[in-house]
Each structure stands twice: as C-alpha cells, then as structure tokens.
Amino acid sequence: ALDLREEFAEVNPQGKVALVTGGAHRVGKAITLMLAQAGADVVINYNRSAREAEQSIVEARALGVDALAVQCDVSDWSSVQSMAATIEERFGGVDIIVNSASHFGKTPFPSTDPAVRATFHQVTRILIDGTYYVCNRLVPGMLARGEGAIVNIIDLSAWNPWPNFLAHSVGKAGLLAMTRQLALELAPTVRANAVAPGPVLPPPGYSEEQQAASARRTLLGRWGNPEDVALAVKFLIKSEFITGEVITDDGGDRFGH
C-alpha cells in the first residue's frame, strides 16, 4: 500500500534555526514571524532598525520560540563574521537563511553626483556582496549538518528595469543569478531558491493614486501583503524537491502591464 506520509514528505521548520537578514520590519518581519509560528528559532539581522528588531523579538518569543536580534551591516565582511560568531555561540549555526536585506535607493543614470555613486555601491553591496558574505560564512555549517535551505528575496526589477533604479535592478538580477549558482554549487545538500514579490507594501511616500495605479497593473486588480511573501518563502523551505527556482508572488503584475 502507498504510504502517503512518505510520498508527501516535506521539510519541517520546527526546531530549526533561521536567519532573516533585514528581518526587523516590512516583508522581512513577516517572514521572521512566519518562521517563528512554524516553530523555528529565529535570528533577526538588522542594521539601523534596533527598535523594530526588539519589537519583532518580543512578537517571535510570544509564539513559543527562541529569538535573537543581531546588528550587522551585511555588506561588511568583518561585521558578518561577528554576527555569525554570535549566532554560532547561541545556536550552533543555522539551518535556514532568508536574504531579505536591501536598500531601496534611487540611482538615476547617467549622473556625475558622488552621492548617486555612493548609493549605487551601497545598494549593490547589500544585495550581492551581503548575500555572498552571509552564505559564504554560514553555509559550511549547513553542509556539515547535511541539510539547509536558502531563500533570496528579489523582485520584478530582476526582469523589468525601473527608471532611476539602476542599482536596485542590477542588484536584484544579480541576486537571482546567485540563487541559481548557489543551487548548483551546494547540491544536493543545501537548496537555494528565490521569491520575487510584486506590490505588497508601498514604498515610503507612495500616493493613493500611485497605489491605485499599481493595483490596476496586476491581473488580480489589488495589492498583496507581506504575509503572501512569507507563505511563498515557507513553501520553498518545506518543498524538498525544489532548488534553483524563483516564485513570482505578484498577483500577475509581471503579465498585467
């Protein structure tokens, strides 16, 4: 007789340790709390959002798991080294990494403004260098334990460029490429996938008219929410036969233009 329990086996986050970079607020917080609700101990990485990180810790612990907030600029290798040492001292390592940290800075092109050049480097270093640093430092522990899952948060700019956001589009496209490369390099022990959200949280200063226009561009005619992204992340963590893939969680925005 067919054993459906074996046939539909999945990875259970319960009892695992999960690191969410940028996990203190917005989409990152929703992912953090989803993992905590699923029973994973969570590490919240933040850079400047200390107050939000502490509040997220309180909410995660209320769900019955252990939680730790660690300040770290993921674009700085020495800072990542320090964060990893703190995590290993507390938990022994991580089983799940969600790379959600980003900086949504404008970078019009061309430009002779030194501030724009600085923003370009800041954005790409967080998205590309930061993900590389975090994974390069913590993945060896996953490999030693014989399993692990990585989920990178990209967005639609990986395919469709946005005016005045050159660095963001380049960074997200690079992160998509890195996702596939990590899947190749770390197989079969560690899986790597990505989620590309559409309109789930408006950027600061987005007017009601802009929000309505964004909703109309989706096939579903509405905005999603951060919890939609968290559910997609959970699916990729639990689905043990998916690696090197990306879920476009956008309400059909990519095809609704």
Side-chain angles (χ1 to χ4, degrees):
L2 178 65
D3 186 343
L4 291 179
R5 290 172 299 175
E6 181 177 340
E7 193 74 12
F8 294 101
E10 59 184 23
V11 177
N12 187 352
Q14 186 170 10
K16 307 293 186 183
V17 179
L19 166 65
V20 183
T21 71
H25 59 104
R26 294 179 66 85
V27 169
K29 178 177 181 177
I31 295 169
T32 296
L33 295 182
M34 172 277 295
L35 287 164
Q37 191 170 39
D41 295 328
V42 291
V43 180
I44 297 172
N45 155 250
Y46 70 95
N47 190 11
R48 298 185 179 89
S49 305
R51 184 189 313 173
E52 292 90 341
E54 287 304 318
Q55 178 59 36
S56 298
I57 287 295
V58 171
E59 294 179 40
R61 287 175 178 164
L63 294 169
V65 300
D66 197 1
L68 173 69
V70 184
Q71 192 281 328
C72 170
D73 176 1
V74 296
S75 68
D76 179 78
W77 173 241
S78 62
S79 186
V80 171
Q81 290 274 63
S82 178
M83 177 178 69
T86 299
I87 294 170
E88 289 166 347
E89 182 178 357
R90 176 74 162 266
F91 295 109
V94 300
D95 307 289
I96 298 163
I97 299 173
V98 181
N99 291 295
S100 182
S102 65
H103 173 62
F104 194 64
K106 281 189 174 182
T107 49
F109 184 86
S111 173
T112 58
D113 186 348
V116 172
R117 290 198 300 273
T119 299
F120 182 93
H121 292 303
Q122 182 183 18
V123 171
T124 55
R125 283 171 180 163
I126 290 171
L127 290 171
I128 298 175
D129 295 0
T131 300
Y132 170 74
Y133 289 160
V134 169
C135 291
N136 197 46
R137 178 59 179 79
L138 289 168
V139 160
M142 292 178 168
L143 294 172
R145 284 189 296 279
E147 64 175 357
I150 299 167
V151 181
N152 297 324
I153 306 302
I154 63 167
D155 61 37
L156 301 183
S157 67
W159 300 279
N160 304 325
W162 299 346
N164 297 319
F165 284 93
L166 174 64
H168 184 81
S169 294
V170 168
K172 292 295 189 179
L175 191 52
L176 175 58
M178 191 185 303
T179 299
R180 293 163 173 162
Q181 191 72 24
L182 290 174
L184 174 68
E185 303 286 359
L186 302 178
T189 308
V190 174
R191 296 178 297 108
N193 293 290
V195 175
V200 294
L201 272 178
Y206 228 49
S207 68
E208 290 186 9
E209 292 78 9
Q210 289 173 307
Q211 293 183 48
S214 294
R216 287 193 298 270
R217 284 196 298 267
T218 71
L219 294 179
L220 299 183
R222 61 179 175 84
W223 281 66
N225 57 61
E227 288 70 29
D228 292 321
V229 183
L231 284 173
V233 171
K234 183 178 182 180
F235 171 77
L236 289 173
I237 290 170
K238 296 182 72 172
S239 300
E240 61 180 13
F241 200 54
I242 299 178
T243 193
E245 278 298 333
V246 55
I247 291 179
T248 307
D249 191 9
D250 68 344
D253 184 277
R254 190 177 174 197
F255 303 111
H257 287 71

